[in-house]
């Protein structure tokens, strides 16, 4: 079983400082929702975002979208050998039911995230697919007690993904942290949670590329590609 | 050098049969463009699409978007060892300049595709990044003369991606075809272009997952991950 955490993900509702900005008010009117019900998106709120701190690390819900599509569509997830969580830049933890079929369409995904931030779970009734709780990574780890936590960062020690996986795969409950943002690095409080920080390329890889490669190497380390090919249909 | 073709991609402008449909007219009004300038999108034109043939294989520009992000962001592309083409369901070939930085945001990507279908190249002036030509796969291959063409399809022979790559990597100009649609299979005229058709999982993998895994295995086959880690920054 592999646990993947997309950490400090650039996914949040529009912060109060921006509610009065013209671009936010226009967006709010068009969507017929109040600004606090809308997801912050750099492509829409770029100008407004200059008002907030740390703006380069925020407003990129597309990263979470692509990472989740890569993770949930993987054979590893179909075999129920993957657990995926999103930790946001504002310390929310989203728990994702492995049977979730996320919308592939970005606009629909944003609609789903708006519902999630408003109601803290999706769907309203029946089996919960997505669940949102205000929680730090530290609180999360004190509950889940991972045996080993590895984080990917260009600031880490050089190592290939294959080498990383050969070390963590035999462990009982290994957890891998991937950054859910486009610029800069992990906060000190996130980096401190990792037993090891590893850099797998000379340049920063996109979060979805890292996700896909990590999951694939993990599948290979347990011979899943061959096993699934020989599975009776 | 690896050549990747996303084939029969579900990427087209709204076909004439749908221009009079209420949902298309609403969309056209909102976007202030005529329907023929807009990209067909199942999430917007679902009801209208019942009017057209083969509708399950059409209206999924998100697949092309995500595949191109995976391909263009890969270390293989950064090393200029990857060529990517999109062949659409209506026999257009899009040639992608490897230096292209595609918009990550879906709405902006759609805007770019609208420009491309209207002007047949993007940008208007300066170095061409995307170029669109009406051309069948057969015409394309008679020009590019690939040494070997391999296609992925659940209808193919069972083989792992690693085995596939070990066979094609030593070749001079190998080409891999991945389907750019969500349901059904390649047309007979596409399948006929392949020297070999291979199935790499018991279920259909998403096009972006296949893309990412293929490129990564190809990188590994030429020791790129290790080489790049030891590259001076």
């Amino acid at each position: 079983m592999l646990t993947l955490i997309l950490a400090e993900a650039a996914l949040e509702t529009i912060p109060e400082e921006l509610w009065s900005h013209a671009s936010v008010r226009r967006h709010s009117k068009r969507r017929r929702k109040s600004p606090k019900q809308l997801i912050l998106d750099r492509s829409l709120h770029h100008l407004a975002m200059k008002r907030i701190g740390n703006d380069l690390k925020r407003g990129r819900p597309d990263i979470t979208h692509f990472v989740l599509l890569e993770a949930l569509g993987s054979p590893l997830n179909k075999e129920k050998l993957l657990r995926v969580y999103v930790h946001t830049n504002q310390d929310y933890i989203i728990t994702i039911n492995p049977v979730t079929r996320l919308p592939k369409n970005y606009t629909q995904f944003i609609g789903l995230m708006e519902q999630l931030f408003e109601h803290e779970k999706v769907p309203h009734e029946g089996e919960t697919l997505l669940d949102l709780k205000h929680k730090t990574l530290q609180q999360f780890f004190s509950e889940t007690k991972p045996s080993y936590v590895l984080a990917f960062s260009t600031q880490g020690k050089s190592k290939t993904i294959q080498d990383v996986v050969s070390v963590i795969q035999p462990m009982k409950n290994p957890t891998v942290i991937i950054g859910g943002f486009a610029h800069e690095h992990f906060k000190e409080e996130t980096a401190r949670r990792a037993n090891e920080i590893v850099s797998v390329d000379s340049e920063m890889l996109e979060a979805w590329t890292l996700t896909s490669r990590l999951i694939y190497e993990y599948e290979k380390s347990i011979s899943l590609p061959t096993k699934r090919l020989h599975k009776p249909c």
Side-chain angles (χ1 to χ4, degrees), chain A:
Chain A
M1 174 76 75
L2 176 69
T3 299
L4 174 68
I5 301 178
L6 189 70
E8 300 180 27
L11 175 69
E12 64 184 300
T13 50
I14 300 179
E16 196 166 349
E17 307 96 284
L18 307 189
W19 293 355
S20 63
H21 193 279
S23 70
V24 170
R25 282 159 54 197
R26 261 199 312 274
H27 179 203
S28 157
K29 200 174 157 193
R30 203 174 57 239
R31 292 289 318 282
R32 294 178 201 172
K33 287 187 171 192
S34 83
K36 71 174 171 192
Q37 293 173 304
L38 296 170
I39 298 291
L40 184 69
D41 187 330
R42 167 166 307 282
S43 70
L44 296 167
H45 312 122
H46 180 69
L47 278 178
M49 284 177 69
K50 292 193 193 302
R51 284 192 193 172
I52 53 174
N54 212 0
D55 70 309
L56 276 177
K57 272 184 87 173
R58 299 168 71 175
R60 288 290 308 275
D62 58 299
I63 297 175
T64 300
H65 185 210
F66 286 164
V67 165
L68 292 181
L69 287 180
E70 278 291 0
L72 297 175
S74 67
L76 192 67
N77 186 57
K78 290 176 187 166
E79 297 285 340
K80 308 209 184 314
L81 296 172
L82 179 68
R83 285 290 170 271
V84 188
Y85 300 89
V86 177
H87 162 259
T88 76
N89 191 40
Q90 282 69 35
D91 282 332
Y92 285 91
I93 298 270
I94 304 172
T95 304
I96 294 142
N97 185 331
V99 303
T100 307
R101 291 168 61 105
L102 276 194
K104 310 286 194 288
N105 178 271
Y106 179 68
T107 313
Q108 290 173 3
F109 172 75
I110 292 296
L112 188 72
M113 290 300 107
E114 288 169 357
Q115 271 182 52
L116 179 63
F117 274 89
E118 188 166 343
H119 304 292
E120 297 181 354
K121 66 169 195 162
V122 168
H124 263 307
E125 296 183 355
E127 187 183 2
T128 299
L129 296 176
L130 306 173
D131 165 278
L132 176 104
K133 288 205 166 58
H134 209 326
K135 202 182 279 186
T136 64
L137 215 45
Q138 183 175 10
Q139 289 167 327
F140 177 74
F141 282 162
S142 69
E143 288 165 22
T144 54
K145 301 187 179 24
S147 58
Y148 197 78
V149 179
L150 184 136
F152 287 123
S153 163
T154 51
Q155 295 184 318
K157 199 172 55 184
S158 292
K159 219 169 171 182
T160 64
I161 303 183
Q162 189 173 0
D163 287 342
V164 165
V165 168
S166 70
V167 171
I168 64 168
Q169 187 274 316
M171 294 174 177
K172 205 184 154 208
N173 182 20
T175 292
V176 177
I177 298 181
I178 289 178
F181 47 86
H183 297 281
E184 305 180 11
H185 299 285
F186 286 124
K187 297 173 192 169
E188 171 54 28
E189 69 211 63
T190 303
R192 211 186 307 137
R193 301 273 88 75
N195 298 91
E196 189 181 1
I197 301 182
V198 160
S199 165
V200 296
D201 195 74
S202 54
E203 291 174 66
M204 188 168 170
L205 295 183
E206 315 277 13
W208 51 83
T209 300
L210 265 180
T211 300
S212 175
R213 290 172 178 218
L214 167 75
I215 291 174
Y216 178 52
E217 278 291 2
Y218 192 90
E219 288 178 15
K220 287 180 71 175
S221 76
I222 56 170
S223 306
L224 197 60
T226 320
K227 280 180 201 156
R228 283 178 58 93
L229 276 179
H230 299 132
K231 205 167 79 167
C233 293

